[in-house]
């Protein structure tokens, strides 16, 4: 057991799985000698060498395209795309091939690759370095989309993603990379993909969130309890797609109220899907309209206006209280 | 049915006119007016000092992350100096000095890198695109602009910049191919600064040069000493003339060096040696150009000193002006500007919600 931040926890997942399985290799820009621009692959090059930790040419589509070939051949490539803002070059390879080869070969082939990429705002970054566009990927049949929210689940989910027989895009909340540490067990630990987690029990309002948004949501939970006597039940999605709604539906049947929080733009975002599931499966239990706290449908602003853009504790508290008003 | 060598229309040349000590090859020396030479020198020096100041401001937390240009002054300026004002320039993200030469106010760089979207505004009288951060994606736009120029029979050319890393992206090859097929009046200027963050040029491509990538598309390609402003200018002028005459595109590889950081978030000590940087310092583009101008009796030590003082004042004024603008209240509602030509009702609603929520937040802080 060691106290690790998310960068170290992700590193541990790859290191241990690479020690165990020769088929696991890492590909990406600056992942080798440099250890990744966020140092997530730090020292893996020293331990495993250039044959298994490959500094590739600067070509995102190329990285994922060759990873598909490797995966089809039986390897377990873990690709790093430096920022999710540069992942659109890989979208074609994921959508047209990674997510379809199982089906197109009618079960003969599988594509067990992982694409790791940092996403999200709140770090005063340059253009294309702050977006949350998980919806693009979550909308792709055959592709799994995972977003951890802390060091311990990041390590466990990444390990599961590497072992998963299907392609997984793994969004890492860069705002949480070094935000806090958690006890992470030395021995291997996995978490099932496709299963949301109850992060806090409550009876009044269900709040669904994931990734970096878990931070303001958990703060809001404390504040709501202390200042308003409101107990929210918090669900951490962990896997965005395929979305398992069992826990969410059961929770809303109990509370009758729901708020969905994500930093991605609102329209057609993951929140819309969660609301749709609740309308389909818990409509008669809803006491008030479901609220969304999200990013806006605009180009992510640079640092000077970033704070006003991002969902925060106050916005979550406000939305929860609104669901209790009517 | 023989097996024989296929003759290709172009071979790859290397061009150097001014060596590291400022000695000039008289036969290759371009015919340039004195005032242009001096204007280039001042711009190079100002670019270096502005870059140094930006690094300082960044280290003090007064601006955010930015990509320094140190070492690439000649390969940027030599290229854009061959353009006319009506031509178009399509930069990547490290062409700060090329953009300044084209007319972008220096204070806008400070605003932009301090997080104010206003800083990326393209002035109405400048035909350039704003910076493009996703590597390699902008070259196709330059080709499209050039195709439109040709379509509309305008006597203009487009020039686009990119780095050594960008030549690995598929879009780069698509851009060269389209430019070749449509014989577009475009000049591709590769800033081969030897490093794509931590990846050295030799690991970026198995090719001996980047210029030779032109051969595959049967367009002229040339490698020039990118720290020699005369060589860059000569190659760029030739390419611009070729494009303007209707003879199609050219690929210029400027062989230069990123003497500073990839961005201020980068630590080059992780991947390259101090000795390598020191070697390149000896090949500095500014000192050799100064030596050349002094030999030509166009420049004296006193004139350089005077110039330094002028530049220092100019840079200070720019910093003061930008910081004054930053002190003025930022209206968060401005983030809804320039999303669409007309703001749709759903965004009007979101803007109102945002203003309501951020004023709630403020109140909370005040009472907190």
């Amino acid at each position: 057991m060691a106290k690790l931040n998310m960068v170290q926890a992700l590193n541990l997942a790859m290191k241990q799985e690479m020690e165990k399985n020769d088929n696991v290799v890492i590909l990406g820009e600056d992942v080798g000698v440099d250890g990744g621009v966020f140092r997530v692959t730090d020292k893996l090059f020293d331990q495993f060498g250039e044959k298994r930790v490959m500094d590739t040419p600067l070509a995102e589509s190329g990285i994922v395209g060759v990873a598909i070939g490797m995966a089809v051949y039986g390897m377990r490539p873990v690709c790093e795309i430096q920022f999710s803002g540069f992942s659109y070059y890989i979208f074609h390879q994921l959508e047209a091939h990674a997510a379809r080869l199982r089906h197109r070969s009618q079960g003969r082939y599988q594509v067990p690759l992982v694409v790791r990429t940092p996403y999200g705002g709140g770090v005063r970054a340059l253009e294309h370095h702050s977006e949350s566009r998980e919806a693009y990927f979550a909308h792709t049949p055959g592709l799994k989309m995972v977003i951890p929210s802390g060091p311990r689940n990041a390590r466990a989910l990444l390990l599961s993603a590497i072992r998963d027989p299907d392609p997984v895009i793994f969004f890492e909340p860069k705002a949480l990379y070094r935000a806090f540490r958690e006890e992470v067990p030395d021995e291997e630990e996995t978490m099932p993909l496709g299963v949301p987690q109850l992060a806090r029990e409550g009876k009044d309002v269900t709040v669904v969130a994931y990734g970096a948004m878990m931070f303001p949501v958990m703060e809001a939970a404390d504040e709501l309890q202390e200042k308003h006597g409101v107990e929210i039940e918090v669900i951490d999605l962990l896997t965005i797609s395929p979305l398992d709604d069992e826990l969410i539906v059961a929770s809303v049947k109990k509370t009758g109220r729901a708020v969905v929080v994500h930093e991605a733009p609102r329209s057609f975002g993951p929140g819309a899907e969660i609301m749709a599931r609740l309308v389909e499966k818990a409509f008669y239990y809803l006491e008030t309209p479901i609220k969304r706290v999200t990013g806006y449908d605009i180009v992510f602003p640079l640092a000077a206006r970033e704070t006003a853009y991002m969902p925060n504790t106050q916005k979550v508290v406000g939305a929860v209280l609104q669901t209790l008003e009517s | 049915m023989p097996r024989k060598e296929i003759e290709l229309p172009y071979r790859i040349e290397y061009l150097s006119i001014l060596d590291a000590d400022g000695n000039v090859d008289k036969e290759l020396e371009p015919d340039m007016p004195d005032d242009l030479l001096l204007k280039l020198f001042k711009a190079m020096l100002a670019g270096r000092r502005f870059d140094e100041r930006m690094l300082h401001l960044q280290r003090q937390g007064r601006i955010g992350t930015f990509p320094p240009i140190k070492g690439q002054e000649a390969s940027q300026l030599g290229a854009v100096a061959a353009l006319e004002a009506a031509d178009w320039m399509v930069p990547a993200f490290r062409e700060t000095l090329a953009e300044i030469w084209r007319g972008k106010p220096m204070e806008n760089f400070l605003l932009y890198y301090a997080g104010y979207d206003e800083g990326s505004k393209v002035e109405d009288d400048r035909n350039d695109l704003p910076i493009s951060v996703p590597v390699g994606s902008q070259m196709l736009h330059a080709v499209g602009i050039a195709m439109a120029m040709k379509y509309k029979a305008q006597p203009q050319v487009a020039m686009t910049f990119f780095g050594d890393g960008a030549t690995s992206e598929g879009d780069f090859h698509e851009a060269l191919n389209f430019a070749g097929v449509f014989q577009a009046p475009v000049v591709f200027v590769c800033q081969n600064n030897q490093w794509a963050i931590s990846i050295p040029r030799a690991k970026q491509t198995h090719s001996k040069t980047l210029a030779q990538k032109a051969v595959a598309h049967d367009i002229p390609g040339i490698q020039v000493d990118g720290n020699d402003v005369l060589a860059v200018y000569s190659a760029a002028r030739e390419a611009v003339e070729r494009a303007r005459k209707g003879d199609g595109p050219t690929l210029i590889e400027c062989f230069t060096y990123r003497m500073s950081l990839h961005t201020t978030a980068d630590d080059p000590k992780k991947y390259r040696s101090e000795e390598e940087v020191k070697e390149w310092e000896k090949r500095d583009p500014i000192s050799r150009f100064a030596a050349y101008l002094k030999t030509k009796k166009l420049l004296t030590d006193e004139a350089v000193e005077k110039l330094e003082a002028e530049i220092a004042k100019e840079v200070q004024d720019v910093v003061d002006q930008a910081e004054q603008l930053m002190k003025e209240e930022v209206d968060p509602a401005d983030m809804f500007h320039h999303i669409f030509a007309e703001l749709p009702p759903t965004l009007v609603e979101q803007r109102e919600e945002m203003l309501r929520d951020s004023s709630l937040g403020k109140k909370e802080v005040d009472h907190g």
Side-chain angles (χ1 to χ4, degrees):
Chain A
M1 208 54 113
K3 280 210 141 203
L4 303 182
N5 64 31
M6 193 184 283
V7 166
Q8 295 164 326
L10 291 163
N11 184 280
L12 179 68
M14 288 184 278
K15 175 184 152 73
Q16 288 185 333
E17 194 61 357
M18 288 179 81
E19 283 167 351
K20 204 172 240 184
N21 183 351
D22 281 348
N23 285 322
V24 180
V25 293
I26 291 174
L27 298 94
E29 294 156 11
D30 308 291
V31 295
V33 178
D34 202 36
V37 293
F38 286 103
R39 305 288 180 254
V40 179
T41 56
D42 195 30
K43 300 203 168 63
L44 298 181
F45 182 85
D46 302 334
Q47 184 176 348
F48 300 103
E50 61 182 3
K51 200 175 158 197
R52 294 186 67 195
V53 183
M54 291 172 241
D55 270 327
T56 66
L58 208 172
E60 295 79 9
S61 177
I63 292 166
V64 175
V66 301
I68 290 172
M70 291 174 142
V72 165
Y73 197 77
M75 292 179 69
R76 296 267 162 173
V78 180
C79 308
E80 177 176 301
I81 299 299
Q82 214 153 67
F83 287 90
S84 67
F86 307 135
S87 67
Y88 312 119
Y89 276 125
I90 74 171
F91 188 75
H92 177 63
Q93 287 291 345
L94 287 177
E95 208 290 330
H97 300 295
R100 290 170 183 258
L101 268 169
R102 177 183 298 285
H103 180 263
R104 192 183 299 138
S105 69
Q106 290 293 290
R108 168 71 169 83
Y109 296 122
Q110 59 178 12
V111 187
L113 65 77
V114 177
V115 174
R116 296 179 32 248
T117 188
Y119 86 99
V123 296
R124 305 184 63 83
L126 294 167
E127 196 188 357
H128 310 291
H129 292 65
S130 301
E131 285 75 8
S132 299
R133 297 286 159 80
E134 50 273 25
Y136 296 152
F137 299 98
H139 200 67
T140 304
L143 179 65
K144 295 184 180 176
M145 151 111 260
V146 175
I147 305 186
S149 59
R152 186 165 180 173
N153 64 37
R155 183 275 191 101
L157 288 166
L158 181 57
L159 189 51
S160 297
I162 295 171
R163 292 181 183 174
D164 198 88
D166 288 306
V168 178
I169 183 157
F170 194 91
F171 265 30
E172 297 168 0
K174 72 174 91 69
L176 300 186
Y177 265 158
R178 294 167 195 281
F180 63 99
R181 289 166 182 270
E182 264 179 355
E183 294 286 350
V184 176
D186 300 329
E187 62 277 12
E188 88 173 36
E189 182 178 59
T190 58
M191 273 177 96
L193 302 189
V195 184
Q197 214 182 29
L198 188 64
R200 180 172 171 133
E201 245 184 277
K203 59 177 174 42
D204 299 320
V205 182
T206 301
V207 178
V208 183
Y210 53 89
M213 288 298 101
M214 288 301 292
F215 210 80
V217 167
M218 295 307 269
E219 268 189 5
D222 288 339
E223 187 176 325
L224 282 159
Q225 177 139 33
E226 284 159 25
K227 290 195 188 161
H228 305 277
V230 172
E231 289 176 24
I232 62 170
E233 179 145 296
V234 181
I235 293 169
D236 184 355
L237 279 188
L238 300 173
T239 298
I240 311 305
S241 178
L243 179 69
D244 185 300
D245 56 32
E246 199 184 326
L247 186 64
I248 305 165
V249 170
S251 174
V252 173
K253 281 182 177 175
K254 180 175 75 175
T255 62
R257 294 173 167 83
V259 174
V260 187
V261 184
H262 59 62
E263 53 182 298
R266 178 169 310 166
S267 300
F268 312 99
E273 178 60 27
I274 292 162
M275 290 170 82
R277 301 280 183 105
L278 289 174
V279 168
E280 285 165 354
K281 298 184 179 180
F283 185 72
Y284 294 110
Y285 296 84
L286 287 169
E287 301 284 345
T288 54
I290 307 165
K291 297 289 296 178
R292 276 185 286 184
V293 180
T294 67
Y296 308 107
D297 300 343
I298 59 173
V299 175
F300 196 98
L302 294 179
R305 294 179 179 87
E306 183 177 28
T307 313
Y309 176 93
M310 294 290 284
N312 57 30
T313 307
Q314 288 321 308
K315 289 180 186 179
V316 176
V317 168
V320 167
L321 293 178
Q322 275 181 45
T323 65
L324 288 161
E325 267 168 20
S326 28
Chain B
M1 285 169 279
R3 178 172 180 159
K4 61 173 189 179
E5 192 175 317
I6 294 171
E7 280 190 23
L8 297 172
Y10 299 108
R11 286 171 168 276
I12 300 304
E13 287 178 330
Y14 173 78
L15 177 65
S16 154
I17 298 172
L18 197 59
D19 73 12
D21 301 320
N23 304 309
V24 71
D25 183 322
K26 283 285 173 198
E27 280 181 24
L28 293 172
E29 187 180 11
D31 177 25
M32 292 166 76
D34 292 351
D35 58 345
L36 176 60
L37 290 169
L38 286 170
K39 195 180 160 196
L40 277 169
F41 180 74
K42 186 187 170 182
M44 280 166 78
L45 196 59
R48 176 69 60 90
R49 298 295 171 249
F50 184 53
D51 196 57
E52 288 166 352
R53 188 62 189 275
M54 291 224 293
L55 189 57
H56 196 61
L57 292 170
Q58 193 277 335
R59 294 309 192 214
Q60 292 176 320
R62 288 154 78 183
I63 63 170
T65 307
F66 82 97
I69 62 163
K70 188 179 177 188
Q72 295 178 225
E73 295 86 354
S75 53
Q76 294 187 16
L77 281 183
V80 280
L83 292 179
E84 302 289 336
D87 293 330
W88 284 60
M89 197 269 284
V90 180
F93 56 81
R94 203 187 299 282
E95 279 69 55
T96 304
L97 194 44
E99 290 188 280
I100 292 171
W101 179 270
R102 295 282 295 166
K104 178 164 173 157
M106 281 200 260
E107 53 269 28
N108 280 6
F109 291 94
L110 299 178
L111 282 176
Y112 185 73
Y113 290 118
Y116 296 77
D117 289 277
E118 293 86 337
S120 72
K121 180 174 173 54
V122 180
E123 305 71 50
D124 293 336
D125 58 353
R126 187 160 65 90
N127 283 342
D128 299 340
L129 292 193
I131 65 163
S132 167
V133 174
V135 170
S137 53
Q138 72 285 355
M139 294 169 259
L140 282 160
H141 312 156
V143 176
I145 288 167
M147 286 167 70
M149 288 164 173
K150 191 175 173 183
Y151 179 86
K152 289 176 171 280
Q154 296 298 307
Q156 290 165 297
V157 306
M159 176 179 282
T160 185
F161 287 86
F162 51 97
D164 40 310
T167 65
S168 293
E169 294 279 11
D171 282 4
F172 163 73
H173 299 274
E174 293 174 29
L176 285 185
N177 191 35
F178 271 66
V181 167
F182 292 99
Q183 286 295 291
V186 59
V187 179
F188 296 94
V189 183
C190 179
Q191 302 277 292
N192 173 10
N193 68 14
Q194 314 302 332
W195 289 94
I197 308 190
S198 71
I199 308 301
R201 212 308 270 138
K203 289 200 164 179
Q204 195 60 248
T205 170
H206 195 59
S207 306
K208 187 171 182 179
T209 70
L210 299 176
Q212 77 197 61
K213 311 260 178 192
V215 171
H217 302 280
D218 274 6
I219 67 177
I222 184 168
Q223 186 186 63
V224 304
D225 180 348
N227 287 7
D228 168 2
V229 72
L230 301 184
V232 178
Y233 178 78
S234 296
R237 191 168 64 180
E238 198 178 292
V240 166
E241 279 168 9
R242 179 180 297 125
R244 220 186 289 286
K245 272 198 316 208
D247 292 338
T250 306
L251 170 61
I252 300 169
E253 174 190 356
C254 296
F255 198 87
T256 179
Y257 193 72
R258 191 191 81 213
M259 279 159 75
S260 186
L261 316 155
H262 163 68
T263 69
T264 47
D266 174 38
D267 175 15
K269 285 194 187 78
K270 289 267 296 183
Y271 53 79
R272 73 182 187 190
S273 70
E274 291 285 324
E275 295 77 61
E276 182 184 298
V277 181
K278 288 226 153 51
E279 271 312 301
W280 275 92
E281 275 169 7
K282 293 178 195 157
R283 295 150 80 171
D284 189 279
I286 299 179
S287 54
R288 76 172 75 172
F289 192 38
Y292 168 73
L293 295 176
K294 283 174 190 168
T295 313
K296 276 181 84 88
K297 308 277 183 235
L298 290 173
L299 197 67
T300 59
D301 288 338
E302 298 74 54
V304 173
E305 223 169 277
K306 207 172 137 228
L307 214 48
E308 289 275 19
E310 271 174 47
I311 290 166
K313 187 182 175 311
E314 192 186 346
V315 170
Q316 187 55 49
D317 289 348
V318 163
V319 174
D320 291 345
Q321 202 179 335
E323 294 205 315
Q324 188 55 42
L325 286 167
M326 289 178 212
K327 270 187 209 141
E328 289 165 19
E329 181 116 14
V330 176
D331 186 352
D334 289 351
M335 71 171 85
F336 285 84
H337 285 175
H338 311 301
I339 305 296
F340 291 111
E342 217 172 301
L343 203 63
T346 184
L347 283 183
V348 172
E349 208 177 293
Q350 288 187 17
R351 184 177 60 188
E352 280 161 16
E353 177 196 309
M354 190 273 292
L355 285 172
R356 203 173 54 236
D357 283 351
S358 51
S359 67
L360 279 178
K362 261 185 206 156
K363 236 188 265 169
E364 195 66 31
V365 171
D366 291 345
H367 294 291

